[in-house]
């Protein structure tokens, strides 16, 4: 799936819809139609297959920027080390769990990840009394991100609704 849709992916929440196009032969549990695979092996593969290389790079970029910011600031101010270590450990734990599970699909994990990134970014900016970007630009950018995320959340909701209808129809033999 990633190979064929490398740049743009198949769309947010579309992995489970596209999977049957690649064949389910040899997957014993799918042959009797009792199991439907709804996720890839981990969050990284899921993001890459659904959002393409650009979405995957953005996902990795968020994690990498958080880690780099924490490491950069960690050795500059010893008073902030405990908070930076908290934020850094949270980001590293999220990145590690993403290899084995799907924290991106759980709102609690995303909130915790956001809080850890907020801790890192606020402490990284703290020593700089004059921040070069005006708050109105940050607010505008945040609104754009919110609109973009809302669009993807809505498409994911529609896809889940369609999948539920398809599964209901399958159960009825239609």
């Amino acid at each position: 799936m990633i190979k064929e849709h490398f740049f743009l992916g198949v769309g947010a929440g579309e992995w489970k819809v596209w999977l049957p196009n690649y064949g389910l032969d040899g997957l014993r549990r799918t042959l009797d139609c009792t199991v439907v695979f709804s996720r890839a092996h981990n969050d990284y593969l899921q993001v890459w297959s659904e959002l393409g290389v650009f979405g995957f790079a953005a996902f990795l970029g968020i994690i990498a920027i958080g880690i780099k910011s924490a490491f950069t600031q960690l050795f500059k101010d010893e008073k902030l080390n405990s908070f930076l270590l908290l934020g850094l450990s949270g980001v590293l734990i999220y990145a590690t769990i993403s290899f084995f599970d799907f924290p991106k699909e759980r709102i609690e994990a995303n909130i915790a990840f956001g809080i850890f990134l907020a801790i890192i970014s606020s402490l990284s900016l703290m020593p700089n009394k004059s921040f070069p970007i005006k708050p109105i630009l940050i607010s505008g950018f945040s609104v754009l991100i919110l609109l973009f995320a809302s669009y993807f959340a809505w498409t994911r909701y529609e896809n889940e609704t369609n999948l539920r209808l398809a599964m209901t129809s399958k159960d009825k033999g239609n």
Side-chain angles (χ1 to χ4, degrees):
M1 194 179 304
I2 291 172
K3 187 177 178 182
E4 290 182 15
H5 303 278
F6 184 79
F7 290 106
L8 299 177
V10 295
E14 293 286 321
W15 185 89
K16 60 185 148 272
V17 176
W18 282 77
L19 180 65
N21 295 339
Y22 295 93
L24 300 174
D25 299 334
L27 298 174
R28 183 175 41 88
R29 294 184 297 171
T30 60
L31 295 178
D32 61 3
C33 298
T34 58
V35 172
V36 176
F37 292 103
S38 61
R39 294 177 190 89
H41 297 295
N42 60 46
D43 266 354
Y44 297 106
L45 293 175
Q46 184 99 17
V47 168
W48 196 348
S49 64
E50 289 182 351
L51 302 179
V53 72
F54 302 115
F56 182 64
F59 184 62
L60 287 181
I62 290 169
I63 295 170
I65 287 170
I67 293 170
K68 182 188 177 298
S69 297
F71 270 118
T72 303
Q73 191 63 30
L74 191 60
F75 301 106
K76 289 183 180 178
D77 192 351
E78 290 186 18
K79 292 183 282 185
L80 303 176
N81 279 354
S82 59
F83 291 111
L84 282 168
L85 284 173
L86 172 71
L88 177 62
S89 63
V91 170
L92 289 173
I93 288 169
Y94 183 91
T96 303
I97 290 173
S98 292
F99 276 110
F100 306 104
D101 200 9
F102 307 95
K104 190 177 71 63
E105 292 197 2
R106 293 177 186 86
I107 190 68
E108 306 87 11
N110 286 319
I111 291 171
F113 181 60
I115 290 170
F116 292 132
L117 287 176
I119 290 169
I120 291 171
S121 63
S122 65
L123 294 176
S124 295
L125 297 175
M126 189 179 275
N128 303 334
K129 296 295 182 199
S130 61
F131 190 60
I133 301 175
K134 298 198 181 317
I136 189 73
L137 292 175
I138 294 172
S139 300
F141 187 66
S142 298
V143 167
L144 286 175
I145 289 173
L146 177 66
L147 291 173
F148 190 68
S150 297
Y151 168 75
F152 278 106
W154 180 254
T155 59
R156 183 164 276 225
Y157 171 76
E158 286 179 332
N159 292 334
E160 292 292 329
T161 303
N162 291 335
L163 180 65
R164 186 171 9 119
L165 290 172
M167 290 178 73
T168 303
S169 296
K170 180 182 96 44
D171 290 341
K172 291 179 181 177
N174 184 359

